[in-house]
Amino acid sequence: MSHPASRAQTIDPKLFRQLLGCFPTGVAIITARAADGKPVGLTCNSFSSVSLEPPLVLFSLRKASSLLGVFGEASTFAINILSQDQDTLSSRFASSKITDKFDGVSWRFGPLGAPLIDDCLVSFECSFHARHEAGDHDIFIVEVKDMNTSSAGNALVFYKGAYMMLAESLRKLVLEGQLDTPDIDEAYRVLYGTLLRLACDRASEEEIDAIEASVNEIEQHQAVDALQMRIEATASFFSSISVAGHNEALRLMAQTMTKVLRERMTHVIPMRPRPDTFPLRRQIVDRLRARDAEGAERSLHEMINLLRKGEEEGTT
């Protein structure tokens, strides 16, 4: 049976990367030995298994990577799977500003001569098997020759641009009541106030439209039994503001704060309908369109004050 042809969608690279982040991945440091004998390495979350017989795995490197030539000439590699306590190592080996990544890092050469980082969950020492070009990356398929484990901890997981263990730790603090309401309020004021100011300069009309669409969603889901839809719409409201601010670092912080918001609204202070906040959200949108940074931030502060007052009075 024939199917009507459909027009291919134009893929926006930034959105593509963001949506790929919805798939949680482990974090590894891939290491090798340069021609002069020095260890080199970089952080990678494109590691994957390929075959059991023979034992093959793969990782990919950007063609723009300064280490592509070194890895292309290497005959042995090590794949060091990081534990959740090794997030600083992940950041270190991902930084282009640190010349000697191994300075101060505990490591050793493995049986095949590849650098093994101490205290990782698992280390696989591998020999070269194949290399393939794929778009802006090269795929390295390597054969596992030796492996060991030295840690009983949990894996470091990367999800939506942030380490999941951070989000999970915050979730635990929220559920245990160890995050004070005034501290959370202050974090929202500072973070989203800054993002609103940036959005007044940088946001497109389409991005402001997205914020307004989330406001519409919040207003449509005011039934008492529509809590989950209200939570999703509220999370979308704040997420849309973070996108409109066009600051990647602040957007990642906002993702963590959205996690806190979801947990508090679900388990700590289940959010009842609050139609009294509708005008303030509308004001935020209107002031964004007018590029009125001070007005947008002021409306945000008023909304937070109103929500907190309602919570204290038992009406949220």
Side-chain angles (χ1 to χ4, degrees):
M1 183 177 69
S2 62
H3 296 276
S6 60
R7 186 174 62 183
Q9 179 184 4
T10 301
I11 302 300
D12 175 60
K14 186 174 182 179
L15 178 60
F16 180 53
R17 181 177 182 179
Q18 179 182 341
L19 295 182
L20 287 175
C22 293
F23 182 68
T25 60
V27 184
I29 294 175
I30 313 297
T31 57
R33 198 170 183 175
D36 60 4
K38 293 182 179 179
V40 295
L42 46 74
T43 301
C44 171
N45 64 348
S46 61
F47 166 71
S48 177
S49 62
V50 175
S51 167
L52 292 178
E53 296 181 3
L56 301 177
V57 297
L58 68 78
F59 60 89
S60 64
L61 298 182
R62 290 185 304 114
K63 287 184 177 179
S65 171
S66 61
L67 291 180
L68 184 62
V70 175
F71 278 88
E73 295 176 358
S75 58
T76 59
F77 312 85
I79 299 164
N80 303 274
I81 310 297
L82 300 186
S83 72
Q84 67 178 18
D85 298 325
Q86 294 177 306
D87 55 301
T88 54
L89 280 181
S90 174
S91 299
R92 179 179 183 83
F93 278 80
S95 173
S96 60
K97 297 179 180 180
I98 300 176
T99 304
D100 184 359
K101 303 289 196 303
F102 285 83
D103 183 29
V105 175
S106 180
W107 66 280
R108 67 195 185 283
F109 284 121
L112 274 68
L116 303 181
I117 296 175
D118 292 344
D119 300 322
C120 289
L121 279 181
V122 179
S123 291
F124 299 102
E125 201 170 5
C126 312
S127 62
F128 176 82
H129 181 80
R131 178 179 176 181
H132 303 282
E133 290 191 32
D136 56 6
H137 278 61
D138 277 10
I139 298 172
F140 289 77
I141 299 177
V142 296
E143 182 173 354
V144 176
K145 295 294 187 179
D146 192 75
M147 54 188 182
N148 65 82
T149 178
S150 60
S151 173
N154 296 314
L156 182 64
V157 178
F158 205 66
Y159 175 60
K160 287 189 174 182
Y163 295 122
M164 186 179 287
M165 67 93 180
L166 172 60
E168 289 303 309
S169 297
L170 282 170
R171 179 179 187 271
K172 182 178 179 181
L173 291 175
V174 169
L175 294 179
E176 293 178 351
Q178 296 184 44
L179 285 180
D180 292 337
T181 294
D183 289 343
I184 295 175
D185 284 352
E186 183 179 26
Y188 273 105
R189 291 177 197 277
V190 173
L191 176 59
Y192 288 100
T194 301
L195 284 165
L196 284 171
R197 285 182 170 274
L198 292 174
C200 282
D201 272 341
R202 303 174 180 179
S204 66
E205 287 300 317
E206 290 77 12
E207 287 167 338
I208 298 176
D209 288 343
I211 298 172
E212 186 171 20
S214 65
V215 171
N216 294 338
E217 284 288 311
I218 293 172
E219 294 181 3
Q220 290 171 11
H221 298 305
Q222 290 303 302
V224 175
D225 60 353
L227 174 61
Q228 193 56 47
M229 290 183 287
R230 196 157 54 249
I231 290 173
E232 293 304 317
T234 303
S236 177
F237 171 72
F238 285 108
S239 295
S240 298
I241 291 174
S242 71
V243 170
H246 289 272
N247 182 297
E248 192 66 14
L250 293 179
R251 188 183 68 80
L252 295 180
M253 295 178 194
Q255 287 179 354
T256 300
M257 291 305 297
T258 298
K259 180 75 173 179
V260 172
L261 174 73
R262 289 176 185 274
E263 295 301 328
R264 295 188 80 237
M265 290 172 63
T266 303
H267 302 291
V268 181
I269 48 168
M271 192 179 71
R272 297 182 175 87
R274 289 298 303 272
D276 54 332
T277 63
F278 292 175
L280 290 169
R281 287 194 184 87
R282 294 288 174 187
Q283 283 180 23
I284 290 174
V285 173
D286 291 342
R287 286 165 181 172
L288 279 172
R289 292 198 189 280
R291 309 296 170 171
D292 176 6
E294 290 187 6
E297 187 174 12
R298 185 166 57 250
S299 295
L300 172 73
H301 290 184
E302 291 175 9
M303 186 182 74
I304 292 173
N305 289 339
L306 187 59
L307 287 169
R308 188 59 52 232
K309 181 180 178 182
E311 179 186 337
E312 292 170 353
E313 293 174 352
T315 60
T316 55

